[in-house]
C-alpha cells in the first residue's frame, strides 16, 4: 500500500520526483523544458546585471566622496543604462514565469483528469477513505496552487542560488580590504565578510525552520477544511429548491456555520503560527539593515576601505545574505507548497494504486462471455451490512429475455448492477457479460450533461453519429415533442427539465443507441402510469429483441404474450439468512408494478 493510502507521508523530494517523472513522460515536457531554460537564461543575465550594479555602487559613492561632478554625472548615465537592461530582463522573466505556470497547470490538470476519469476509477475512489473526499477541489484549486508555487519558488531558488554563487566570489575579493584592528594589533581573516554573511543567514534559516515547521501540517489541514466548506456550499446550491420547500434554510445555515467554524479554527492556528514566524522573519529583516555595516565598520574606520568600497562590501553582503535568506522569506510559501504537493500527489498515487489498495480483499471477477451472453457464477456480493446472493448458483441469461431481479429493500439490487458495471468489486464469484458495446445501464437518476440537448440525447457518443431525424423521432416517441425545436440549444438541461422529463430523455437515449442488452435500476420511478406504459412499450416494439434486466422490490408476473423471468436476491446479514421466499401467487402483474 502506498504511503498516501496508508496515511503516511513520503518525503517531499520523493513526491516531487514522481511528478517530475510523470511530466517527463508527457507531451508537455518539451514546452515546459524550453520555458524553464529560457527563465534560467534570463535569471543568469539578471545575476550578471546585479553584479555590474554592485560595482557601480562603488564608483558612484567614490564620486560623491571626491565631490567629482563630472564622474557623478557619468555614473548617473551608467546607472540608467544598467537599470534599463535589468528592467527588460525583469519583464521577460515575469512573462516567461507566468507562461510556465500556465503550462504546468495545464499539464498537471490534464494528467489528473486522465487518471481520475479512467473507466470506473472515479467512482471507486469514493470508497478509498478520506482521500476520496472532494477530488474536484484537489484537481482544480490544489493543482493551481501547486503549479504556481512550484514555478515561483523554483525561479526564486534559481535566482538566489546564482546570486549567492556570484556574490560570494565578489564578497570574498572585497574582504581582502577588511582588517580587524585591536589597539596596536590587527587580524586579517580571509573571506571575513563571506563568513559573517553565511553565519547570519544560516542562523536565521535554522530559527525560521524551528519556529515555522508546524505550518506545513496546519496548511494541509486548512486546505482540507476549505474543501469541506466548498463542497457544502455546492451541495446547498444544487439542492436549494428542495431545501426551500422544506423551509430548511435555518438547518442548512447551522450546518454551514459549523463547517465554517472548523475552518476558522484551522485558520486561527495558522494565524498564531504566522505571528510566531513573523517575529523571526521581520526581526531578521530589520537587523539586516545594520548588520553588514557593523561587520564591515572595522575596515572603514581603520582606513582600509573607502566609502565606495564600504558600500560595495555592504551591497555584496546584502546580496549574499538575501540569497541565503530565501528560505527565511519564503518559508510560509514553502509550507503551503509542501501541503499542496502532499494533497495532489496523494490523490494521484491513490488513483494509480486503487488495485493495490484493494489487494487481499475478496473480489468479483467481471469478464466477457465467450458467447455474448450474461451469466452469474457462484456470485456473492459483500454489502456493508452482510452479503447478497442469488437463489441459484449458476444463472445464464440469453438473448431477448426479460428478467427481473427482486428482493427486499437493502438486499443489494442496485449493488448488483454496480457489480455488473465493474463499479463494485467486493464479493466472490464471476459475472460473465456480453460485449461492452452492446450494453447500456440505466441508473435511477439519469445523467443529463451540460451543453445542447442533442449532445445529451446522444451521450456518451458524439451527436454527429446519429441522424437528426432519428433524434427527433426518439424524443417524440417518449412524449417529448415540445423539446425537438430546442435540440441545438445549450442550456443547463439538468436544472430546467423535471425528473420525469430527464427519465424520458434517458429512454429516448436508449432508443437512439438501441443496445442489445439493457440493465435498468428503477429508471421510470418518476413517470406517471401512462408515461411508464409509453416508455416500457419500447421493449415490445422497437427493442423487442433486446435483453432487459430490471431490479425491483417484488417479482413481476408474466403478461399475455410476454414471459418474465424472475430472479430472487437475498441479503444475509452477518452470515445468517433471514429472507423468506415469496410465493408465486403473491407476485404483482407488470401493470401493478408500473402503478
Amino acid at each position: 500500500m502506498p504511503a498516501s493510502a496508508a496515511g503516511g507521508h513520503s518525503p517531499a523530494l520523493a513526491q516531487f520526483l514522481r511528478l517530475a517523472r510523470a511530466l517527463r513522460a508527457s507531451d508537455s515536457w518539451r514546452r515546459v523544458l524550453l520555458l524553464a531554460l529560457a527563465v534560467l537564461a534570463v535569471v543568469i543575465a539578471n545575476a550578471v546585471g546585479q553584479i555590474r550594479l554592485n560595482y557601480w555602487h562603488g564608483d558612484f559613492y567614490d564620486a560623491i566622496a571626491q565631490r567629482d561632478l563630472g564622474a557623478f554625472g557619468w555614473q548617473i548615465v551608467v546607472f540608467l543604462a544598467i537599470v534599463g537592461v535589468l528592467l527588460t530582463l525583469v519583464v521577460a522573466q515575469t512573462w516567461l514565469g507566468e507562461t510556465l505556470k500556465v503550462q504546468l497547470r495545464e499539464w498537471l490538470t490534464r494528467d489528473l483528469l486522465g487518471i481520475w476519469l479512467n473507466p470506473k476509477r472515479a467512482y471507486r475512489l469514493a470508497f478509498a477513505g478520506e482521500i476520496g473526499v472532494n477530488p474536484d477541489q484537489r484537481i482544480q484549486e490544489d493543482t493551481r496552487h501547486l503549479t504556481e508555487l512550484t514555478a515561483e519558488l523554483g525561479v526564486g531558488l534559481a535566482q538566489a542560488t546564482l546570486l549567492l554563487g556570484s556574490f560570494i566570489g565578489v564578497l570574498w575579493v572585497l574582504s581582502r580590504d577588511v582588517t580587524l584592528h585591536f589597539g596596536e594589533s590587527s587580524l586579517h581573516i580571509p573571506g571575513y565578510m563571506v563568513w559573517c554573511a553565511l553565519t547570519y543567514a544560516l542562523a536565521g534559516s535554522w530559527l525560521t525552520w524551528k519556529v515555522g515547521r508546524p505550518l506545513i501540517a496546519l496548511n494541509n489541514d486548512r486546505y482540507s477544511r476549505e474543501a469541506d466548506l466548498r463542497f457544502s456550499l455546492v451541495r446547498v446550491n444544487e439542492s436549494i429548491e428542495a431545501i426551500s420547500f422544506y423551509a430548511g434554510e435555518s438547518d442548512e445555515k447551522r450546518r454551514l456555520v459549523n463547517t465554517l467554524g472548523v475552518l476558522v479554527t484551522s485558520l486561527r492556528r495558522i494565524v498564531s503560527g504566522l505571528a510566531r514566524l513573523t517575529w523571526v522573519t521581520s526581526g531578521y529583516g530589520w537587523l539586516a539593515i545594520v548588520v553588514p555595516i557593523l561587520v564591515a565598520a572595522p575596515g572603514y574606520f581603520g582606513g582600509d576601505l573607502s566609502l565606495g568600497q564600504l558600500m560595495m562590501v555592504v551591497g555584496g553582503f546584502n546580496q549574499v545574505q538575501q540569497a541565503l535568506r530565501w528560505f527565511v522569506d519564503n518559508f510560509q510559501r514553502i509550507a503551503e507548497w509542501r501541503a499542496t504537493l502532499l494533497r495532489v500527489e496523494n490523490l494521484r498515487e491513490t488513483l494509480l494504486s486503487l488495485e493495490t489498495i484493494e489487494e487481499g480483499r475478496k473480489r468479483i471477477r467481471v469478464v466477457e462471455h465467450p458467447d455474448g451472453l450474461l451469466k452469474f457464477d457462484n456470485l456473492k456480493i459483500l454489502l456493508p451490512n452482510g452479503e447478497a446472493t442469488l437463489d441459484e448458483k449458476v444463472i445464464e441469461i440469453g438473448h431477448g429475455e426479460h428478467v427481473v431481479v427482486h428482493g427486499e429493500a437493502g438486499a443489494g439490487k442496485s449493488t448488483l448492477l454496480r457489480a455488473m458495471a465493474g463499479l463494485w468489486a467486493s464479493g466472490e464469484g464471476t459475472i460473465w457479460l456480453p460485449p461492452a458495446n452492446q450494453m447500456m445501464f440505466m441508473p435511477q437518476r439519469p445523467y443529463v450533461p451540460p451543453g445542447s440537448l442533442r449532445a445529451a440525447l446522444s451521450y456518451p457518443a458524439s451527436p454527429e453519429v446519429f441522424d437528426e431525424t432519428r433524434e427527433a423521432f426518439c424524443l417524440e416517441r417518449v412524449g417529448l415533442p415540445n423539446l425537438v425545436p430546442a435540440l441545438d440549444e445549450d442550456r443547463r438541461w439538468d436544472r430546467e427539465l423535471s425528473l420525469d422529463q430527464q427519465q424520458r430523455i434517458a429512454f429516448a437515449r436508449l432508443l437512439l443507441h438501441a443496445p442489445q442488452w439493457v440493465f435498468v435500476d428503477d429508471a421510470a420511478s418518476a413517470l406517471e402510469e401512462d408515461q411508464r406504459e409509453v416508455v416500457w412499450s419500447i421493449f415490445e416494439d422497437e427493442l423487442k429483441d433486446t435483453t432487459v434486466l430490471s431490479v425491483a422490490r417484488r417479482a413481476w408476473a408474466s403478461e399475455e404474450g410476454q414471459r418474465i423471468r424472475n430472479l430472487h436476491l437475498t441479503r444475509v446479514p452477518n452470515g445468517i439468512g433471514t429472507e423468506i421466499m415469496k410465493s408465486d401467487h403473491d407476485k404483482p402483474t407488470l401493470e401493478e408494478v408500473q402503478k
Side-chain angles (χ1 to χ4, degrees), residues 77-276:
V77 174
V78 172
F79 172 76
L80 292 175
I82 295 173
V83 168
V85 173
L86 288 176
L87 178 60
T88 303
L89 291 173
V90 169
V91 172
Q93 182 175 322
T94 300
W95 185 86
L96 289 169
E98 293 300 317
T99 305
L100 179 61
K101 291 179 191 177
V102 172
Q103 187 62 54
L104 283 172
R105 184 180 181 186
E106 180 187 11
W107 159 72
L108 185 54
T109 304
R110 285 178 178 271
D111 178 75
L112 289 176
L113 287 175
I115 299 172
W116 182 49
L117 292 179
N118 186 279
K120 322 300 182 188
R121 190 177 283 164
Y123 180 84
R124 291 163 61 195
L125 177 66
F127 301 94
E130 186 179 354
I131 193 70
V133 178
N134 303 326
D136 54 306
Q137 195 269 352
R138 297 187 186 229
I139 293 174
Q140 185 265 325
E141 182 62 21
D142 289 349
T143 295
R144 178 193 67 80
H145 206 46
L146 176 62
T147 52
E148 289 183 358
L149 285 174
T150 299
E152 292 173 3
L153 292 173
V155 171
L157 180 59
Q159 195 162 19
T161 303
L162 285 169
L163 287 174
L164 176 64
S166 303
F167 277 93
I168 275 185
V170 172
L171 195 59
W172 189 280
V173 172
L174 293 174
S175 295
R176 292 178 306 181
D177 300 320
V178 178
T179 302
L180 303 178
H181 297 278
F182 304 96
E184 306 237 346
S185 341
S186 61
L187 175 65
H188 178 73
I189 302 175
Y192 164 72
M193 292 297 294
V194 173
W195 301 120
C196 290
L198 289 174
T199 301
Y200 183 70
L202 292 177
S205 297
W206 176 84
L207 190 57
T208 299
W209 168 253
K210 193 73 175 175
V211 174
R213 186 178 182 182
L215 284 172
I216 296 176
L218 291 175
N219 275 289
N220 187 32
D221 180 69
R222 171 241 182 133
Y223 293 134
S224 296
R225 303 290 78 80
E226 293 275 13
D228 291 342
L229 178 61
R230 177 177 176 272
F231 172 78
S232 298
L233 290 170
V234 170
R235 179 187 60 80
V236 170
N237 184 56
E238 293 288 339
S239 308
I240 194 63
E241 181 181 5
I243 292 170
S244 299
F245 272 123
Y246 281 106
E249 288 88 349
S250 60
D251 184 63
E252 295 301 327
K253 178 181 178 181
R254 177 182 56 79
R255 294 175 189 271
L256 289 174
V257 168
N258 288 341
T259 304
L260 176 63
V262 176
L263 171 60
V264 168
T265 300
S266 179
L267 291 175
R268 284 174 176 162
R269 293 194 187 104
I270 291 178
V271 168
S272 299
L274 286 176
R276 290 190 294 271

